[in-house]
Amino acid sequence: MARYNHREVEPKWRKAWEDGGCFRAQADPARPKCYVLEMFPYPSGRIHMGHVRNYAMGDVVARYKKACGFNVLHPMGWDAFGMPAENAAMERGVHPGKWTYDNIAAMKAQMLPLGLSLDWSREFATCDPEYYAQQQALFLDMLEAGLVYRKSSMVNWDPVDMTVLANEQVENGRGWRSGALVERRELTQWFFRITDFAEELLEGIDRLEKWPEKVRLMQRNWIGRSEGLEFRFETIGAPEGHEELTVYTTRPDTLFGASFCAVAADHPLAKALARENAELAAFAEECRRIGTSEEALEKAEKKGFDTGVRVRHPFDPDWQLPVYVANFILMDYGTGAIFGCPAHDQRDLDFARKYGLPVTPVVCPEGQDPASFVIEDEAYTGPGRIVNSRFLDGMSVDEAKAEVARRIEQAGKGERKVNYRLRDWGISRQRYWGCPIPVLHCPECGVVPEKKENLPVRLPEDVTFDKPGNPLDRHPTWRDAPCPRCGGPAKRETDTMDTFVDSSWYYARFTAPRAKTPTDPEAVDYWMNVDQYIGGVEHAILHLLYSRFFARAMHKTGHLPEKCVEPFEALFTQGMVCHETYRAQDGRWLSPDEVRIVDGRHVEAATGAPVEVGPSIKMSKSKKNVVDPTDIIDQYGADTARWFILSDSPPDRDVEWTAAGAEAAWRFLQRVWRLTEDALPSLPARGAEPPADPCEAAMALRRATHRTIAGVTADIEGFAFNKAIARIYEFVNAISKAPAEGEGMGHARREALSALAQLMAPMAPHIAEEIWSALGETKLVAQTPWPKADPALLVEDTTPIAVQVNGKRRAEIRVPREASREEIEQMALADDNVRRFLDGKTPRKVIVVPGRIVNVVL
RNA sequence: GCCCGGAUGGCGGAACUGGUAGACGCAGCGGAUUCAAAAUCCGCCGAGCUGACACUCGUGUGGGUUCGAGUCCCACUCCGGGCACCA
């Protein structure tokens, strides 16, 4: 008997799918559609197991939905702009475009053998001029609609390389290449008005019922709506034009606990003071060296500088508070200035302790004596009664907030304000490998949008990366172009767009990838929205929020209908792929194929030296704990790789790739094939009449078949692919153990094997086709409707029920399905072991949950 | 630092809405087959105590609610993701 040979079988079926045009999507208004999308990959050059996991999951959904009768759209493309291409250009002198397209070709060649049910005819890369031309058109429409503007904002500046750095290019405050201390620097940059949609984006989350709750929560927190008070302090000793200091607070109730004000280093008041005060200027410089990331700001030691300026308390002109410049105040949030109440905010408390400022509790927890309530080293942020606060004393926190707001508003010193943590989306990048921003700078007309007929504004091919900085800036001729308005000489904008822009609308483009406009109304109307979106949880906030914004902006500019403002109906976030780490004795990381297990010990294959086995962590090149999908596919086949990566962990959690697990998957597929081949001679012809009176074993197998159909269907619907696979293992065990002979066994076995092929098909599509055709079927599984479970075969005559005495399991009884509570109770009390524990006593209470449990309470 | 998750045998995990903890797989152990091995097949497999039945303990830690808690509540520990220029 021949072994199942994936090297022959898998290409054969891929060709059959291709020849049958199985996965080519065509709009058909008469049929229900289903749009399945996995987050498209960045073309790094090699696919990794994370891709295999992501696309295997999407493929399960796509194939399952197709079998359920849906007209499925399942496209693939490339998120192709971005920094790594420029890094490669700098390191190896290869053009970013060539590097990217070579990578795409290599990755596609690796992906095709996976047998994914993708419509490759819709493929595009975001760096294709046809794609970014439409993106530029969208930009121009958004500009016209007032959704785009320019403002000054901060970047990480490397003073040696004279270039802007990404946050990941800043290591310990220094540029990754130059090693120079990085500073914050102001630059005029392009922004999308995402904050105009803050409320809408927040409210929209409520309707995303098929999104993970954790993602919805993260997005809500990210938008960070707060209701507070913006008000003005009168300043003393401030430079001209700074007679008032405007602060924003969500805790106006703590105003009598205030002991200082603090402003950001980039606050206009701080800048004005720094011009006169060298020491303050130096401190502001130091603050700017922290960089631009919120993480770095928050982790930095809290420091302040007393400006000497004072402000008057709004409710007591004789009470003065010092004004500090502090490194933890964000210019982008609120007004860039706060008042600090140390007793009820941890950061303010840390700051006050450091600079010896008073700490006065003004909220006293219920049940605490205000006289003895003191703050030690932990701020109190909970509810309570207001104390030490004159006219607010005795109020609740909420009452006091309202009262302070009322009085401040009445005095004309401020107003209630809803504030959002969300900031406008800065899209300017001072880089080459991105979508050019299609505007010109004209000395006569100012900033002028490029005419649509001139799109795309193409990236020039002849660029060099021998010097740091943006090659577009120093290109000899590219910048020169006529002003679209006056025709005079003008200069092109050299900023390109953030790559998040590219990925914020690709899902819409897939519905009509060759359209001469960004979208095609008919295609969008039929295919949108994405019915199931699948990707890594690391994109839970930024990518998904930007896409939600972009869909709204596209609606506003007429490129998407109203129904598309939430483009992803259902979202699934998958976990990472991990592997053990290996280290040689000299500390070198070793890759899994450099390690062997000899007598149960891990040793280095080349030398036999012992190897230290480290924890299983996300596969990464730096730790060398990567397994190349192509190696696995060569050795075991695509079905094995897909089967294993889906089998071992719940899809939303991390999965650990193990060689033993992959081998087990391979053995299982071999076993299924043997089972089929062994059974073939004993099967009745397809469509033969089943016997009228099958034996009990045949009926048991039939029940197992239909239980499995029902179970696997529910598991796939619920994204529990690991459970679906466990169920299939059980089912195969049941088929193997079923007796060979008996009335109706042949029919039952044929039915079981047919169902097995169909149920395995979404996960392991090649072997499923091989089994299917061995059973004499003429159509492809890929073209066959999903099997239906017969409800009559799902019910059991008796069910087992556990019996507890005082909550501890003491016996198990089998009861008829239709047994009443009383009957179940009688049977439970009659059980030997239960009677032993009753010891002749009468139970106080007997809890009977039919179908589940009996608990006898003494 | 802030926001969001997670933790169950030697390992990955299962346990539907509070109702038999450990399905299924891996590793391990024992057996069959074989000249031998590979492959395959059969059996055992949380810990303790047992000849066996039984019993006791057991879902990161400490408390709580309940007839009953892996599941709900409170407080913690450790691990992971995100923090706006990585994608």
Side-chain angles (χ1 to χ4, degrees), chain A residues 669-688:
Chain A
L669 298 183
Q670 293 286 345
R671 186 178 160 214
V672 169
W673 178 246
R674 270 199 314 276
L675 186 65
T676 308
E677 280 207 318
D678 290 350
L680 286 177
S682 68
L683 298 184
R686 254 181 84 234

Short mmCIF file of all heavy atoms in Angstrom, two decimals, chain A residues 669-688:
data_model
loop_
_atom_site.label_atom_id
_atom_site.label_comp_id
_atom_site.label_asym_id
_atom_site.label_seq_id
_atom_site.Cartn_x
_atom_site.Cartn_y
_atom_site.Cartn_z
N LEU A 669 -2.58 12.61 9.44
CA LEU A 669 -3.06 12.65 8.06
C LEU A 669 -2.76 11.32 7.35
O LEU A 669 -3.58 10.81 6.59
CB LEU A 669 -2.44 13.84 7.32
CG LEU A 669 -2.80 15.22 7.88
CD1 LEU A 669 -2.19 16.32 7.02
CD2 LEU A 669 -4.31 15.42 7.99
N GLN A 670 -1.58 10.76 7.64
CA GLN A 670 -1.25 9.44 7.09
C GLN A 670 -2.27 8.40 7.54
O GLN A 670 -2.71 7.56 6.76
CB GLN A 670 0.15 8.99 7.56
CG GLN A 670 1.29 9.82 7.03
CD GLN A 670 1.58 9.53 5.56
OE1 GLN A 670 1.14 8.55 4.99
NE2 GLN A 670 2.33 10.44 4.94
N ARG A 671 -2.63 8.49 8.80
CA ARG A 671 -3.55 7.52 9.36
C ARG A 671 -4.93 7.62 8.71
O ARG A 671 -5.58 6.61 8.42
CB ARG A 671 -3.65 7.80 10.88
CG ARG A 671 -4.44 6.78 11.62
CD ARG A 671 -4.47 7.09 13.10
NE ARG A 671 -5.59 6.40 13.69
CZ ARG A 671 -6.33 6.85 14.69
NH1 ARG A 671 -6.02 8.02 15.25
NH2 ARG A 671 -7.33 6.16 15.15
N VAL A 672 -5.36 8.85 8.49
CA VAL A 672 -6.66 9.06 7.85
C VAL A 672 -6.64 8.46 6.44
O VAL A 672 -7.59 7.82 6.00
CB VAL A 672 -7.00 10.57 7.79
CG1 VAL A 672 -8.19 10.81 6.88
CG2 VAL A 672 -7.27 11.09 9.18
N TRP A 673 -5.52 8.64 5.76
CA TRP A 673 -5.43 8.09 4.40
C TRP A 673 -5.46 6.58 4.41
O TRP A 673 -6.17 5.94 3.61
CB TRP A 673 -4.15 8.61 3.71
CG TRP A 673 -4.02 8.03 2.34
CD1 TRP A 673 -3.05 7.19 1.90
CD2 TRP A 673 -4.92 8.22 1.24
NE1 TRP A 673 -3.28 6.82 0.60
CE2 TRP A 673 -4.44 7.44 0.17
CE3 TRP A 673 -6.10 8.93 1.07
CZ2 TRP A 673 -5.08 7.39 -1.06
CZ3 TRP A 673 -6.75 8.87 -0.15
CH2 TRP A 673 -6.24 8.11 -1.21
N ARG A 674 -4.74 5.97 5.36
CA ARG A 674 -4.75 4.49 5.48
C ARG A 674 -6.15 3.99 5.77
O ARG A 674 -6.62 3.01 5.19
CB ARG A 674 -3.83 4.06 6.63
CG ARG A 674 -2.41 3.80 6.23
CD ARG A 674 -1.69 2.95 7.27
NE ARG A 674 -1.92 3.40 8.63
CZ ARG A 674 -1.23 4.37 9.22
NH1 ARG A 674 -0.26 4.97 8.57
NH2 ARG A 674 -1.52 4.73 10.44
N LEU A 675 -6.80 4.70 6.69
CA LEU A 675 -8.16 4.33 7.07
C LEU A 675 -9.06 4.30 5.83
O LEU A 675 -9.85 3.37 5.63
CB LEU A 675 -8.67 5.36 8.08
CG LEU A 675 -10.01 5.15 8.75
CD1 LEU A 675 -9.95 3.91 9.64
CD2 LEU A 675 -10.37 6.38 9.59
N THR A 676 -8.91 5.31 5.00
CA THR A 676 -9.72 5.39 3.78
C THR A 676 -9.40 4.23 2.84
O THR A 676 -10.31 3.52 2.38
CB THR A 676 -9.44 6.71 3.05
OG1 THR A 676 -9.60 7.79 3.97
CG2 THR A 676 -10.39 6.91 1.89
N GLU A 677 -8.12 4.04 2.59
CA GLU A 677 -7.73 2.98 1.65
C GLU A 677 -8.18 1.61 2.12
O GLU A 677 -8.65 0.80 1.34
CB GLU A 677 -6.21 2.98 1.48
CG GLU A 677 -5.72 4.05 0.52
CD GLU A 677 -4.42 3.65 -0.15
OE1 GLU A 677 -3.56 3.12 0.60
OE2 GLU A 677 -4.27 3.85 -1.36
N ASP A 678 -8.02 1.35 3.44
CA ASP A 678 -8.44 0.07 4.00
C ASP A 678 -9.94 -0.14 3.83
O ASP A 678 -10.40 -1.26 3.65
CB ASP A 678 -8.09 0.00 5.50
CG ASP A 678 -6.58 -0.09 5.72
OD1 ASP A 678 -5.86 -0.30 4.72
OD2 ASP A 678 -6.14 0.05 6.87
N ALA A 679 -10.67 0.95 3.94
CA ALA A 679 -12.13 0.82 3.91
C ALA A 679 -12.68 0.65 2.50
O ALA A 679 -13.73 0.04 2.31
CB ALA A 679 -12.76 2.05 4.59
N LEU A 680 -11.97 1.20 1.52
CA LEU A 680 -12.52 1.28 0.16
C LEU A 680 -13.15 -0.04 -0.34
O LEU A 680 -14.29 -0.01 -0.84
CB LEU A 680 -11.46 1.77 -0.83
CG LEU A 680 -11.14 3.26 -0.75
CD1 LEU A 680 -10.01 3.63 -1.72
CD2 LEU A 680 -12.37 4.11 -1.04
N PRO A 681 -12.46 -1.20 -0.23
CA PRO A 681 -13.04 -2.43 -0.80
C PRO A 681 -14.38 -2.82 -0.19
O PRO A 681 -15.19 -3.47 -0.84
CB PRO A 681 -11.98 -3.50 -0.48
CG PRO A 681 -10.74 -2.75 -0.13
CD PRO A 681 -11.16 -1.43 0.41
N SER A 682 -14.60 -2.41 1.07
CA SER A 682 -15.83 -2.85 1.75
C SER A 682 -16.98 -1.87 1.59
O SER A 682 -18.05 -2.07 2.15
CB SER A 682 -15.53 -3.05 3.24
OG SER A 682 -15.28 -1.79 3.84
N LEU A 683 -16.76 -0.78 0.86
CA LEU A 683 -17.82 0.22 0.76
C LEU A 683 -18.82 -0.14 -0.33
O LEU A 683 -18.42 -0.62 -1.39
CB LEU A 683 -17.22 1.60 0.45
CG LEU A 683 -16.27 2.18 1.48
CD1 LEU A 683 -15.84 3.58 1.06
CD2 LEU A 683 -16.89 2.20 2.86
N PRO A 684 -20.09 0.10 -0.07
CA PRO A 684 -21.09 -0.10 -1.13
C PRO A 684 -20.92 0.98 -2.19
O PRO A 684 -20.25 1.98 -1.95
CB PRO A 684 -22.42 0.07 -0.39
CG PRO A 684 -22.10 0.93 0.79
CD PRO A 684 -20.67 0.63 1.16
N ALA A 685 -21.49 0.75 -3.35
CA ALA A 685 -21.38 1.74 -4.42
C ALA A 685 -22.03 3.05 -3.98
O ALA A 685 -22.92 3.07 -3.14
CB ALA A 685 -22.06 1.23 -5.68
N ARG A 686 -21.52 4.14 -4.57
CA ARG A 686 -22.11 5.44 -4.28
C ARG A 686 -23.58 5.44 -4.64
O ARG A 686 -23.96 4.99 -5.72
CB ARG A 686 -21.40 6.52 -5.11
CG ARG A 686 -20.48 7.40 -4.31
CD ARG A 686 -19.85 8.42 -5.22
NE ARG A 686 -20.72 9.58 -5.40
CZ ARG A 686 -21.10 10.05 -6.57
NH1 ARG A 686 -20.70 9.48 -7.68
NH2 ARG A 686 -21.87 11.10 -6.64
N GLY A 687 -24.40 5.92 -3.74
CA GLY A 687 -25.82 6.04 -4.05
C GLY A 687 -26.61 4.76 -3.88
O GLY A 687 -27.80 4.72 -4.14
N ALA A 688 -25.93 3.65 -3.44
CA ALA A 688 -26.65 2.40 -3.24
C ALA A 688 -27.65 2.54 -2.10
O ALA A 688 -27.43 3.31 -1.17
CB ALA A 688 -25.66 1.27 -2.93
#
